[in-house]
Amino acid sequence: MTPTARRPQYRTFFGAPPRDLSDGRPADVAFLGVPFDLGTTLRPGARFGPSAVRAASAWSSYYTHDGNAAGGWYDLDLRRWILRGVTMVDWGDVEITPADITHNLDRTTVAVEEVLEAGSLPVLIGGDHAITYPALRAFAERGPIHVVQFDTHQDFVDERQGTRLGHGNVMRRASELPYVSGISQIGLRGLQKYSEPLKAADAYGLRTVSASEVRMRGPEAAANIVPPGASYYLSVDIDVLDIAVAPGTGTPEPGGLSYAELRDAIRAVAARGHVVGLDLVEVSPPYDWAEITSRTAARLLLVALDAVFRDRDPAARQG
Ligand code: MN
Ligand code: MN
């Protein structure tokens, strides 16, 4: 192909084509930004997460320089190609309006339903963690699903000051969905002030591995708490990483996972069953430095998608 003076520049996730799927042309992955942070307890800013992760992901374009799509990437660390032949689109952002949590969350559910109806894997980029509950509601006719949460915090508070839909309530709401068969939490280390959520977590049967336990046992062993052979919804709260690895988030804590530990835990979980949905939340660019957090988030998305689609790539099976 003759070099041209210009190339189109899309500010999309990994430069994937910016389109919806209503034209009937399928794609394996549909990225969906959810610039919502009205569920934040302390420091807002995660509404800027989708645009920051889009910018950081542009380093790793979906297209090669001759314009070919879905060629994948050669991962020098893994020594194999990843995501070859996996098609992706950026379906844009959920429309977020001010001062109305319920309608914003309802629109998030509708957007995920549209992705599922098109047969694509929904990949949500938040936004604060409150967006996971409306995403899970879209699976109402598609259960049972097991939620695997990578997080510093349990997010299992029933109600605080009249609020039940914030980012600290999200897994409690998830636990009430009849088609959510269970929840596994990996990387916990936050401070829990009240005993009610702890008792409720025990009563529900939350499966948990703390950050220290991930370090002691290794990420692969930590993934063994996840029931094998199930359909999983993976929810990655970026604050599961150490504060030094992911400073750009609303409620960071020291003592968190390394990038490699989280990467390996995601891989180990995905290998146990079938991933039907994925979100990455709580990237908050106002607290980030040098794009550390958004860049890490972008790479984690590729890692997670490789884990989800690995069995589709013949070259990967040999490796
Ligand atoms: Mn969370
Ligand atoms: Mn958290």
Side-chain angles (χ1 to χ4, degrees), residues 39-53:
T40 305
T41 312
L42 293 171
R43 303 195 297 173
R47 66 181 61 191
F48 302 114
S51 65
V53 176

Side-chain angles (χ1 to χ4, degrees), residues 6-18:
R6 290 174 291 106
R7 261 196 304 143
Q9 290 293 319
Y10 302 122
R11 186 50 65 85
T12 62
F13 292 108
F14 305 100

Side-chain angles (χ1 to χ4, degrees), residues 24-310:
R25 284 188 296 150
D28 298 311
V29 173
F31 293 108
L32 201 57
V34 192
F36 172 91
D37 62 10
L38 293 168
T40 305
T41 312
L42 293 171
R43 303 195 297 173
R47 66 181 61 191
F48 302 114
S51 65
V53 176
R54 278 192 180 95
S57 73
W59 288 27
S60 310
S61 173
Y62 173 75
Y63 291 96
T64 54
H65 282 255
D66 57 5
N68 286 326
W73 293 265
Y74 187 81
D75 187 326
L76 290 163
D77 197 8
L78 293 172
R79 295 182 180 276
R80 62 176 171 83
W81 287 91
I82 63 168
L83 296 165
R84 287 199 109 167
V86 174
T87 52
M88 305 175 179
V89 298
D90 185 331
W91 206 333
D93 285 352
V94 174
E95 178 80 21
I96 300 298
T97 52
D100 195 337
I101 288 180
T102 306
H103 281 143
N104 288 320
L105 299 186
D106 286 349
R107 276 194 292 273
T108 304
T109 301
V110 170
V112 176
E113 283 169 352
E114 288 171 346
V115 171
L116 291 172
E117 275 158 28
S120 301
L121 178 80
V123 178
L124 286 75
I125 292 87
D128 71 48
H129 214 158
I131 68 164
T132 299
Y133 174 58
L136 290 170
R137 287 190 308 203
F139 289 86
E141 307 298 323
R142 298 164 192 270
I145 53 173
H146 186 90
V147 177
V148 184
Q149 174 195 5
F150 300 87
D151 204 329
T152 283
H153 313 95
Q154 287 203 286
D155 298 343
F156 214 69
V157 176
D158 182 30
E159 174 268 323
R160 179 89 24 96
Q161 296 170 301
T163 299
R164 295 166 62 88
L165 293 171
H167 68 170
N169 314 106
V170 64
M171 289 302 155
R172 188 65 166 268
R173 297 290 84 78
S175 74
E176 295 163 352
L177 296 171
Y179 47 88
V180 170
S181 55
I183 301 172
S184 298
Q185 301 180 315
I186 296 174
L188 299 177
R189 67 187 187 282
L191 296 173
Q192 175 66 53
K193 209 167 179 177
Y194 304 96
S195 58
E196 195 279 337
L198 295 171
K199 288 177 188 155
D202 280 345
Y204 177 73
L206 276 189
R207 299 155 178 251
T208 61
V209 183
S210 74
S212 293
E213 287 163 349
V214 172
R215 247 183 320 273
M216 265 185 315
R217 298 181 202 163
E220 289 83 6
N224 286 338
I225 61 157
V226 177
S231 293
Y232 308 132
Y233 182 94
L234 306 187
S235 185
V236 181
D237 182 332
I238 201 74
D239 71 25
V240 71
L241 291 170
D242 190 70
I243 189 170
V245 181
T249 190
T251 46
E253 290 280 347
L257 303 192
S258 71
Y259 167 77
E261 286 166 337
L262 177 56
R263 176 197 65 194
D264 294 349
I266 290 172
R267 277 194 193 127
V269 169
R272 291 174 76 75
H274 181 63
V275 175
V276 294
L278 172 67
D279 67 46
L280 195 156
V281 297
E282 299 284 354
V283 172
S284 190
Y287 311 108
D288 206 5
W289 287 96
E291 299 179 87
I292 294 171
T293 313
S294 50
R295 180 84 187 122
T296 302
R299 186 64 188 262
L300 277 171
L301 284 171
L302 287 188
V303 161
L305 290 173
D306 167 57
V308 172
F309 288 96
R310 191 172 174 195

